[in-house]
Amino acid sequence: MKAPKSLVVWTMGLVSYLDALNLQEKLVHLRKSGIISDTLLSLQHPPTYTLGRRRTVHNLLISEDELQSLGAELHYTQRGGDITFHGPGQAVVYPIISLKQMGLGARKYVENLELAMVELASLYGVPARAGGDGGTGVWVDDRKIGAIGVRISSGFTSHGLAFNIDPDMKFFEHIVPCGIANKEVTSLRRETRMDLPADEVIHQQLISCFVKLFGYSGVTLHQGSPSLDNEDVLK
């Protein structure tokens, strides 16, 4: 089955995790109803820890009071994967797409997300690789540079990926990232000898990698947050 022709991309800047979560839920409903086409949200979050549906809270190494003193939030979600951190200096992408129309299964979808991050890293001379069995995400040797946690409901996706451009790495010291002990977390800043452009440029490069891998031929770009009161703008 051929991929849909069009993708609507919203570059949203810094967005609270709950606002992004509520927006995704509404967009998934609209996508399931056929009101909108495939949609991608590109954004960053304030410091936020999230847990997947397995609720592996033991991988949070500090109390919630200590977490709040760091200026971070904690949220429980219905995505797959373990605990992770989101913050400024990350490229976060949430695709709201129909896997059925794409002709993709869940595994291939995740592999494509991984490959988008691998391709992005390669633009900066970083030899990243997909994790494979037991190591979902993207790695540079044994250091994780990109995390994936997705939700698939009736063949429609939400949540997505987080690629570390240059976040405050101290936040990762308070968790067992993705539940994998004795593995480091890294960033593009740490791994490349190249000067990095503004985060917005790297976000756009990640979007381009996503568009290429998923075979979209038409892309509509918007800045800011989508208005759910105007369905024509969402299409």
Side-chain angles (χ1 to χ4, degrees), residues 133-155:
D133 293 341
T136 299
V138 172
W139 301 75
V140 182
D141 294 326
D142 288 332
R143 303 178 296 279
K144 194 164 194 176
I145 195 170
I148 290 177
V150 303
R151 185 182 186 193
I152 300 173
S153 172
S154 303

Side-chain angles (χ1 to χ4, degrees), residues 118-130:
V118 168
E119 186 168 311
L120 175 64
S122 74
L123 297 177
Y124 295 90
V126 176
R129 60 173 177 82

Side-chain angles (χ1 to χ4, degrees), residues 2 4 11 49 59 82 97 102 117 121 147 181 184 191 199 203-204 223 229 233:
K2 293 183 179 180
T11 56
Y49 295 100
N59 286 323
D82 210 292
I97 68 176
M102 296 289 287
M117 291 190 281
E184 294 182 43
E191 297 295 337
D199 282 4
H203 280 247
Q204 289 300 322
Q223 289 188 336
D229 297 326
V233 172

Side-chain angles (χ1 to χ4, degrees), residues 26 106 120 138 155 164 176 184 207 218-219:
K26 293 172 182 176
L120 175 64
V138 172
N164 294 332
V176 181
E184 294 182 43
I207 292 167
V219 179

Side-chain angles (χ1 to χ4, degrees), residues 49 57-72 74 83 170-171 173-176:
Y49 295 100
V57 72
H58 58 276
N59 286 323
L60 176 64
L61 304 179
I62 58 175
S63 70
E64 292 196 37
D65 286 343
E66 291 174 297
L67 183 150
Q68 291 175 3
S69 72
L70 296 173
L74 175 67
I83 193 167
K170 291 182 180 178
F171 281 100
E173 297 174 1
H174 306 303
I175 59 175
V176 181

Side-chain angles (χ1 to χ4, degrees), residues 55-212:
R55 300 293 187 262
T56 50
V57 72
H58 58 276
N59 286 323
L60 176 64
L61 304 179
I62 58 175
S63 70
E64 292 196 37
D65 286 343
E66 291 174 297
L67 183 150
Q68 291 175 3
S69 72
L70 296 173
E73 298 180 353
L74 175 67
H75 294 291
Y76 296 83
T77 77
Q78 293 300 313
R79 62 163 174 79
D82 210 292
I83 193 167
T84 195
F85 170 75
H86 293 308
Q90 270 185 344
V92 176
V93 167
Y94 295 139
I96 313 296
I97 68 176
S98 169
L99 293 184
K100 182 177 180 180
Q101 287 193 12
M102 296 289 287
L104 294 177
R107 182 61 193 167
K108 182 62 176 175
Y109 171 64
V110 170
E111 288 175 353
N112 278 1
L113 294 181
E114 291 173 331
L115 288 173
M117 291 190 281
V118 168
E119 186 168 311
L120 175 64
S122 74
L123 297 177
Y124 295 90
V126 176
R129 60 173 177 82
D133 293 341
T136 299
V138 172
W139 301 75
V140 182
D141 294 326
D142 288 332
R143 303 178 296 279
K144 194 164 194 176
I145 195 170
I148 290 177
V150 303
R151 185 182 186 193
I152 300 173
S153 172
S154 303
F156 294 87
T157 69
S158 58
H159 297 274
L161 64 84
F163 182 87
N164 294 332
I165 302 171
D166 188 22
D168 184 345
M169 304 302 286
K170 291 182 180 178
F171 281 100
F172 289 100
E173 297 174 1
H174 306 303
I175 59 175
V176 181
C178 302
I180 304 173
N182 303 317
K183 299 288 186 181
E184 294 182 43
V185 178
T186 191
S187 66
L188 191 61
R189 174 70 67 188
R190 288 189 174 184
E191 297 295 337
T192 187
R193 295 188 177 97
M194 298 173 62
D195 292 332
L196 296 181
D199 282 4
E200 292 79 7
V201 173
I202 299 176
H203 280 247
Q204 289 300 322
Q205 290 170 332
L206 180 55
I207 292 167
S208 296
C209 293
F210 179 93
V211 168
K212 175 183 173 184

Side-chain angles (χ1 to χ4, degrees), residues 2-33:
K2 293 183 179 180
K5 297 289 186 183
S6 62
L7 177 71
V8 177
V9 176
W10 293 87
T11 56
M12 301 174 61
L14 190 69
V15 181
S16 77
Y17 189 82
L18 279 183
D19 284 347
L21 185 63
N22 291 333
L23 177 59
Q24 287 180 79
E25 291 173 352
K26 293 172 182 176
L27 290 174
V28 167
H29 173 73
L30 293 172
R31 185 68 189 93
K32 285 181 176 180
S33 302

